Amino acid sequence: MLKIDQYQPLREVVFENIRTAIQSGELRPGERLMEVQLAESLGVSRTPVREAIRKLEKAGLVTITPRRGVYVAEISLEDTENILEIRGCLEGKAAELAAIRMTADQKQALKNCLEAFVAHMKANRMKEALREDLQFHLIIRKASKNQQLIQILEDLSEQVNRFRMVYLKDAAEAPSLPEEHAKLLQALLDENPKAARKAMEAHMDSVKSIILEAARQYKKTRNEE
């Protein structure tokens, strides 16, 4: 059953719940979504579910095939690579701007976020670690104070977060991330734009390699099932 927010339209609540299930991997790529079953499990009528599905299609999270139904969108390796390449360039620019625009409060929040991220990685709590990673990058984006850049990166995050949640399940798959985050943080604390951009782009290249390798292994395992 949904926890209804009286200040949020029901279709938005339904959308957020289904999106979270897709991004977390609870609903797997290629899985069929049945309106009736979703409505029953969420405790709502079919109308908000139908509206949420249309919005999910626009976000690229589901595909609607006439006479076949609604399916969780597959994630191709080509799409994954293309989106991660775009993200790397834009995150690099955000870090460059953040290095000279970040406030003292944002710097402290970034330190706290990194500390929590490292702790979760050491304990192999990947879901929690990825949540802190998301927050880490969000702080940097907001510190850029470039609203257009922030919005573009937020739009990309729908797909990027899904890649990470679906493909990265074990900290051993990404051992370099804490060190990369620490190097990026230091460049930001030093207020060095060039170093911050370089550190972010190197980090994004590393993330791309890790995710693509995990994606290949994931698809190989699915093909063998």
Side-chain angles (χ1 to χ4, degrees):
M1 286 287 190
L2 289 178
K3 184 177 180 181
I4 304 300
D5 183 342
Q6 62 178 322
Y7 299 107
Q8 190 176 26
L10 187 55
R11 64 179 179 276
E12 293 298 324
V13 179
V14 173
F15 169 78
E16 293 291 346
N17 276 262
I18 300 176
R19 179 178 65 175
T20 298
I22 292 173
Q23 289 183 338
S24 68
E26 181 183 342
L27 293 173
R28 298 178 63 181
E31 183 173 343
R32 188 175 184 183
L33 301 182
M34 306 293 289
E35 283 186 11
V36 174
Q37 293 178 358
L38 287 170
E40 290 177 353
S41 66
L42 296 173
V44 299
S45 69
R46 293 176 62 180
T47 299
V49 171
R50 192 175 299 116
E51 292 173 342
I53 285 174
R54 284 198 291 267
K55 188 173 180 180
L56 288 163
E57 182 186 28
K58 290 181 180 179
L61 296 177
V62 306
T63 57
I64 301 176
T65 305
R67 296 185 295 279
R68 290 192 60 215
V70 181
Y71 295 82
V72 177
E74 296 281 359
I75 311 174
S76 74
L77 287 175
E78 182 180 4
D79 287 346
T80 302
E81 185 168 10
N82 289 343
I83 290 171
L84 291 172
E85 283 178 353
I86 295 169
R87 183 201 180 203
C89 294
L90 297 178
E91 292 278 20
K93 184 61 180 179
E96 180 182 12
L97 294 173
I100 54 176
R101 298 176 179 177
M102 184 170 279
T103 66
D105 286 345
Q106 287 172 324
K107 289 178 180 178
Q108 185 58 55
L110 211 56
K111 291 179 185 177
N112 296 341
C113 200
L114 177 58
E115 184 178 337
F117 174 74
V118 171
H120 288 312
M121 287 289 286
K122 287 181 177 178
N124 199 27
R125 296 188 293 264
M126 283 304 289
K127 187 175 181 180
E128 291 80 2
L130 292 174
R131 189 179 300 121
E132 292 297 334
D133 177 74
L134 177 63
Q135 184 64 20
F136 187 85
H137 285 277
L138 182 59
I139 293 168
I140 294 172
R141 287 176 208 156
K142 288 184 176 179
S144 75
K145 294 183 172 62
N146 183 315
Q147 291 304 314
Q148 284 69 32
L149 179 58
I150 293 169
Q151 186 58 59
I152 293 170
L153 282 167
E154 284 301 299
D155 292 341
L156 280 176
S157 72
E158 290 285 355
Q159 297 295 333
V160 174
N161 293 341
R162 187 181 176 210
F163 299 155
R164 295 185 303 178
M165 288 294 190
V166 170
Y167 296 142
L168 296 181
K169 302 295 185 182
D170 194 310
E173 297 172 336
S176 64
L177 296 189
E179 183 179 348
E180 291 167 14
H181 278 206
K183 186 173 182 179
L184 174 56
L185 172 62
Q186 191 57 57
L188 291 166
L189 295 178
D190 291 342
E191 300 181 0
N192 187 326
K194 289 184 179 179
R197 181 165 191 160
K198 183 177 179 180
M200 178 64 89
E201 289 178 344
H203 172 52
M204 290 291 96
D205 282 342
S206 176
V207 168
K208 183 177 74 171
S209 296
I210 290 167
I211 289 180
L212 288 175
E213 179 56 31
R216 292 186 186 98
Q217 293 301 317
Y218 175 86
K219 290 182 181 296
K220 180 181 178 181
T221 300
R222 281 193 65 193
N223 290 335
E224 292 172 351
E225 288 178 352

